[in-house]
């Protein structure tokens, strides 16, 4: 199956700082999503972004499908942004989602 | 309105017991999934059902058996529970059809086997 790698694995930020999380995948995809798993364990949809750029408040995401990566930008981070961020992809022609290994983000006040 | 719901949220049981986790989605999606999240937070698919038919069955012990009475429900039954089954189990749903669309997750069920 497709390999999905995320970097960095861990990130600690001061409140108010900006950050970029990366998701690399080893093959063509026809679906890519970013999720936030909050400290209570809930998986929250952030973006459905198989290609292009989207923005939602302080968060934005860009997927460059031809180069097999996606970026999640968090601006003016808040303590409530803490948690684990996952990307998940569906390989082109595939029938299931593969999750990346996640980036654990801690935002300190 | 809860889109994908799971019950119970917590499940503590002893080795050897049989237990079930229920999942329901009210999004009208045609495909439902079960995932297992291990202690290192890695999420891996276990099963996928499309319109009540099994389409994905990853390498999972046959003690785990999914059942889909209709396309809004996908339950997970586990026989003869083992310590290694302790994990968080997530149900999810999406609309597939000719393309894969967004997945939505339930709140998870934390299973602890003692």
């Amino acid at each position: 199956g497709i390999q999905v790698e995320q970097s960095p694995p861990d990130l600690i930020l001061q409140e108010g700082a900006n950050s970029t999380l990366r998701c690399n995948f080893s093959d063509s995809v026809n679906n890519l999503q970013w999720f936030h798993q909050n400290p209570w364990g809930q998986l929250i949809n952030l973006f459905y972004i198989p290609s292009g750029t989207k923005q939602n408040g302080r968060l934005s995401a860009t997927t460059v499908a031809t180069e097999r990566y996606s970026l999640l930008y968090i601006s003016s981070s808040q303590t409530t942004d803490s948690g684990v961020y996952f990307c998940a992809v569906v390989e082109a022609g595939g029938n299931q989602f593969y999750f990346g290994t996640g980036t654990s983000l801690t935002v300190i006040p | 309105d809860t889109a994908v719901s799971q019950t119970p949220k917590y499940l503590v049981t002893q080795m050897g017991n049989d237990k079930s986790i229920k999942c329901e989605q009210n999004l009208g999606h045609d495909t439902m999934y079960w995932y297992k999240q291990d202690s290192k937070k890695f999420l891996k698919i276990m099963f996928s059902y499309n319109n009540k038919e099994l389409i994905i069955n990853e390498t999972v012990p046959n003690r785990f058996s999914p059942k889909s009475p209709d396309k809004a429900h996908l339950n997970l039954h586990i026989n003869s529970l083992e310590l290694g089954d302790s994990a968080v189990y997530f149900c999810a749903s999406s609309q597939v059809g000719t393309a894969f669309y967004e997945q939505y997750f339930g709140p998870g069920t934390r299973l602890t086997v003692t």
Side-chain angles (χ1 to χ4, degrees), chain A residues 17-93:
Chain A
N18 304 328
S19 63
T20 301
L21 282 56
R22 188 175 179 105
C23 173
N24 290 335
F25 39 94
S26 61
D27 213 335
S28 301
V29 300
N30 59 18
N31 182 321
L32 188 145
Q33 282 187 257
W34 282 98
F35 295 90
H36 174 215
Q37 187 168 34
N38 64 24
W40 295 270
Q42 177 71 39
L43 280 158
I44 300 161
N45 290 33
L46 296 178
F47 294 101
Y48 165 71
I49 186 164
S51 63
T53 296
K54 289 187 178 179
Q55 177 147 11
N56 184 2
R58 296 181 297 103
L59 303 182
S60 64
T62 295
T63 296
V64 184
T66 52
E67 296 187 21
R68 301 183 183 168
Y69 72 89
S70 183
L71 302 174
L72 177 69
Y73 305 96
I74 304 174
S75 64
S76 304
S77 57
Q78 300 176 358
T79 55
T80 51
D81 296 331
S82 295
V84 183
Y85 289 80
F86 291 101
C87 68
V89 304
V90 177
E91 190 173 6

